[in-house]
Amino acid sequence: MIKTDIVVIGGGPAGLAAALSAYEKGVKNILLIERDKELGGILNQCIHDGFGLQLFKTRLTGPEYAGIFIDRIKKTNIDIRLNTMVTKVSDDLTVTAVNEDIGAYQIQAKAVILAMGCRERPRGAINIPGTRPAGIYTAGTVQRWVNIEGKLPGKNIVILGSGDIGLIMARRMTLEGATVKGVYELLPYSSGLTRNIVQCLNDYNIPLKLSHTVTKIFGRKRIEAVEVCRVDQSLKPIPESREIVECDTLILSVGLIPENDILSGTNISMNKVTGGPFIDNRFMTEVPGIFSCGNCLHVHDLVDYVTDESERAGENAAEYVLYGQKEKESSGIPVLCGDNVRYTVPSHLSKDGKGALTLMFRVTKPMKDCTITVASDGILLLSLKRSRCTPGESVRITLPEDRVKTVLEKKTPITVSVTE
Amino acid sequence: MIYDFVIIGAGVVGCMIARELSMYRAKICLLEKGNDVASGSSKANSGIVHAGYDAKPGTLKAKLNVLGCALMEKTVQELDVPYKKCGSIVAAFDQEGTDSIRKLYQRGLENGVSELFLLNREETMRLEPNIHPGVQGALYAKGAGIVCPYQLTIAAAENAVSNGAELRLNFEVEKIEKTEDLYLIKSAKDTVKARCVINAAGVFADKVAAMADDNSFTIIPRRGEYIILDKTEGKTVNTVIFQPPSEKGKGILVSPTADGNLLLGPTASVIEDKEDTSTTASGLDEVIKGAMAAVPNIRLNKTITSFSGIRATPDTGDFIIRESEKNPRFFHAAGIESPGLTAAPAIALYVIEMIKSKGILLEENPNSVRIRQGIPRIAELPLEEQNRWIQKNKAYGKIICRCESVTEGEIIDSIRRPAGATTVDGVKRRVRAGMGRCQGGFCMPKVLEILARELQCSPYEICKNEKGSYILKEGEIEHD
C-alpha cells in the first residue's frame, strides 16, 4: 500500500486548484489522480471563451484557463497519475485505483479531496417516448467529438434543454455548418447563463422555445424527426400544440449530475438536491478527512467559482493533515434553506472553520428586485439587494468573520432566504 | 456446401438449438437477419425464469416451462451467464387476486412445479418489505429466478460457433425453394443449402413458414414497454413481483435484473408492425402506475432508460414445435412467447428429440464442449486477481466505461470472441459498457474508436445496432 498525505481525485479545475493550494499550505506529499491522458478535465473540450472573467479579469478559453494551473502544478512535486481511474474510496481514507501499468493498487492517505466533476443526464432519465435510434447524444459528448476529435455527428440539429453546454453547442454546431432548428426548454426560463443565450442563440438567430419539450422520437436507424409540444404551467405537454421537427441529431442538455459513484462504500451522506455530499464550511464531508469541491460537490455555472472554492477546500485539507481535527462534533450548526432557496453549500458550519463564510446557493425561481437575508435565531446577520436572481445562476454571498463568530457562539441554525 | 441443419433466427431459441446441435457431428448454419445475435425479442424482455404455474396444464408451454426452469441453473453455469434464483411472488391485493393466486397454486401443482407456497400477508411483507401494505397474500415460487436474456443468447451462440457452427449475420431469408432432398434458403444475395431446416424466426416465423407453403399458423406481435432503473435501486425488491394475471398477460412486474438493476413492465399491446419497438407516453405511464400499485416507493428519478420488446404470440395458444406438415425435415420452433426464455434450454432438447424421432441420425461429437467461459468482469474480482489479468494484458487495467467499470480488455474480448460484437449496442450487451447510469455519454466515443480499430474500419461505418444506424453521420471537420 502506498502512503501519502493527500490524495486528490480528479485533475480538472477543482482538483488542480485544491492540490495546488494544499501544496502551498505546506503539504508536500500529494498524489493527484486523473483518469484521462492529460490534466484539465472538461475544460479541454471547452474551446469557447469567457472563462476567467472573475478570477483573472480576462476572457480565456477552457484550455487556456486549465493551462495556467497545469503550468503551476508542473512546477511542484505533486505526484500526478494520469490514465488512472479511482474505483473506490473508503471511510478509513484508503483510495483504490487502477491503471494499465501498475494495475490495481491502494493508497492510504491522511486526507482525500474529491474533485470528480459531474456527468450529463441521459435521454433515458427523462423518458422521452418513441424509437431508440442512433443520433441522440448529450451536449458534452457532441462537444468532445467536434472539439477534440474533429467529427461532426450530424447536420440537422434539435437541442433539448437550455443548459450552458447546450447553448454553447448550438453556436458551435452552427459554426461548423450545421443547422440548429431550435433549442427547446421545458421550463419557462433557461437554466443557462444570460450571456450564453445572447451570444450563442440570439447572435445566430437560433430560436429558444421556452415551455416546450420533445414528446416523441421518430426514426428507426438514425433519428429522423422529433415531436415537440408546448407545455402548460404544470409542465404537461399540450397535445394541440404538437409539431414535428425534422432532424438527424438530437442534442440533450438536460442537466448535470455530480459524479460520486465511487463513494457508495462510504458513510458520506449525500444531499438529494445537489447530488453532492453534505459539507461544512471547511468543505469536509461527514467522514473526517474527506473533502469535496467543484462540480462533484454541486454543479457550478462558472469555473472561476470552482477554482476559488477548491482552493479553500485544499487549504482546509492541508490544515487537517498538518494540525488534525480539533472539534470532534460531527454535525455542526445547520445552514437552512429559507424562502425560495433550493440548496446551500455548505450545509453546516464546524467550529474548526475560520474566517468569513462564503455561502453559495441557488434560488427556486426567477426573481427581480429581491432581498437576500441571512438570519439566525431571529437576528438578521446579513441583508443584500439584488436586481435579479435566476435558478441558472448560483448566488455567492459572504458572511463577515464577526458574524460567523456570533453564530458559532450561539450555535443556532442560520437560514438563507430570498424575497421579492 | 450443404448444411445438415440451417437454423433461421439467432434469438435465444435459435441459439440454444444451435448449441445443442453443435454437440453432434453435423454441419450447422445459423442465419440471422440482424447484424448481431439476440437482436429481436431476446434482447428486450423481462428476463424472468418462470417457475411454471402460469401455463395451462397439458400444453407444451407448461411442460417445457417447468423443464426449462429446472435446466436453467445448469445451463447458466455451463455458459457463464448472470442468473439469480431469487424466487417470484404473485401478490394479491384484493379478493379477486386471492382467488386468482389459489387457482395458480393448483395449476402449478398440476404442472409439476416444486417449491410453491401460498404466503399470508405477514409472510409476504417479511419477504418483500417494500410491497404495498394493502397486500393480502402471495403465491411464492422459490424456484423462479432472473437471467440476463441477451447474455444467455450470446453465450449459447458463442458456444455453438466454438463447436463449429457457422453464424451468418445480415442474412435475411426472402425465399425458400425445395428440391427433392434439400431446401435452398435464399437472401437477396445468397443461398444456403440445407438438409434440415429449423424455423426459429420469432415474430417472423409465420412469414418463414409461408415461404415453404406452410400457412398453418400466424404470429401476432405484441409489444411490451419497460422502464429500467439504476443499480442503486436493484434491492428495492427481493423477488420478482407479479400481479395476478389477466387475459392480456402477466401484468406489470417489478423485478431485480440479473445484473442488479430494477425492471418495471411490461405493457401488452397488439401492434401492426412486427419491428415497432418504440415506446409511448401512455405505455410508460401504464408501467409506472402498475409498478407503483405493487411497490409504492419506487424511486422513479433513478430511471436510466425505457425500451420495448416484441413478443411472438401464436394464434394457436401454445408453442408450435413440430415438423411442418407440408415439408419433411422442416421443423418449427415458433410462437415462443413467454415463458420462452425459461423454456429455451428445454425447447432445444425437445427439438433434438424430435429430429431423432424422424429417423435423422445424430452422432455425438466428442470434440464439442458444453462449457463457455464468459468475459472476465475485472471490476468484480479481488485486487490480486485483477492484477493477474492486468499482467497478462494491460488493457484490463484501462477502464473505459466508468458507470459499469468496464475495461478496454473486456471490450476488445467482446469484439474478438466468436460471434463477437460489431456494433456499439453489441459491445454494450456483451460487457455492459454504456449500460449504466450515463448511458454511454462518457464511453461511447471511446467504444466507437475501439470498434473501428478492432474491425479495421472507419468510425463512420460503426453502427449503434442495426445496419444503417450510424453513430456519426457527417464526415471529419475540416479546419482551414
Side-chain angles (χ1 to χ4, degrees), chain A residues 341-418:
Chain A
V341 173
R342 264 189 78 218
Y343 71 81
T344 68
V345 170
S347 52
H348 54 279
L349 302 189
S350 154
K351 276 201 161 182
D352 276 354
K354 288 193 304 192
L357 169 69
T358 304
L359 271 169
M360 286 189 86
F361 66 90
R362 281 182 196 268
V363 292
T364 52
K365 59 174 190 192
M367 288 190 287
K368 276 183 184 162
D369 299 321
C370 38
T371 309
I372 301 165
T373 57
V374 182
S376 179
D377 197 24
I379 301 167
L380 187 64
L381 299 168
L382 190 71
S383 175
L384 296 166
K385 294 262 182 231
R386 286 283 165 99
S387 59
R388 50 180 220 106
C389 285
T390 71
E393 302 186 10
S394 60
V395 187
R396 269 163 68 103
I397 55 172
T398 304
L399 199 59
E401 190 167 357
D402 58 318
R403 300 296 160 90
V404 179
K405 264 191 186 148
T406 315
V407 175
L408 291 174
E409 277 158 20
K410 287 175 64 103
K411 291 188 180 171
T412 50
I414 66 174
T415 305
V416 185
S417 310
V418 183

Side-chain angles (χ1 to χ4, degrees), chain A residues 35-36 83 85-87 96-106 118-138 140-141 144-147 149-155 172 176 215-217 220-222 248-249 259 261 272, chain B residues 227 230 275-281 284 288 299 303-308 383 386-387 390 394-403 405 408 428 437-442 444-446 448-449 459-460 464-479:
Chain A
R35 67 178 174 213
D36 214 335
N83 296 308
M85 189 81 103
V86 169
T87 51
T96 310
V98 62
N99 72 17
E100 287 183 292
D101 301 313
I102 308 178
Y105 61 103
Q106 287 187 309
C118 59
R119 64 185 161 85
E120 299 178 279
R121 195 185 300 276
R123 169 197 176 183
I126 49 173
N127 250 345
I128 311 170
T131 51
R132 303 172 78 210
I136 304 169
Y137 308 116
T138 54
T141 303
R144 182 193 159 88
W145 269 325
V146 174
N147 290 351
E149 300 185 16
K151 296 180 179 114
L152 197 59
K155 277 207 151 161
R172 190 78 190 94
E176 288 302 341
T215 44
K216 201 169 179 185
I217 286 163
R220 220 184 101 185
K221 296 173 176 182
R222 177 84 189 195
D248 64 18
T249 307
E259 176 91 71
D261 299 349
K272 287 206 172 94
Chain B
I227 292 174
D230 198 307
E275 292 185 314
D276 181 7
T277 54
S278 54
T279 54
T280 63
L284 296 176
I288 290 167
R299 298 200 293 175
T303 297
I304 57 174
T305 195
S306 49
F307 62 92
S308 79
L383 286 194
Q386 289 188 21
N387 283 330
I390 297 166
K394 273 167 65 157
Y396 290 119
K398 188 171 179 186
I399 294 177
I400 299 290
C401 164
R402 61 186 170 183
C403 300
S405 293
E408 183 165 14
K428 175 165 102 172
R437 51 189 72 97
C438 95
Q439 290 284 292
F442 176 74
M444 195 245 292
K446 298 176 184 204
L448 183 82
E449 234 173 81
Y460 297 93
K464 179 179 188 287
N465 40 45
E466 63 186 289
K467 242 184 171 176
S469 63
Y470 298 109
I471 296 281
L472 296 167
K473 202 160 175 269
E474 301 298 327
E476 303 282 334
I477 297 169
E478 284 170 36
H479 293 282

Side-chain angles (χ1 to χ4, degrees), chain A residues 17-53:
Chain A
L20 277 165
S21 71
Y23 186 82
E24 279 153 17
K25 271 271 165 181
V27 178
K28 296 301 169 212
N29 293 315
I30 300 174
L31 209 147
L32 174 71
I33 302 177
E34 166 56 41
R35 67 178 174 213
D36 214 335
K37 59 179 188 286
E38 56 191 352
L39 295 172
I42 211 71
L43 285 174
N44 291 335
Q45 67 183 52
C46 299
I47 61 169
H48 53 282
D49 72 355
F51 299 96
L53 274 169

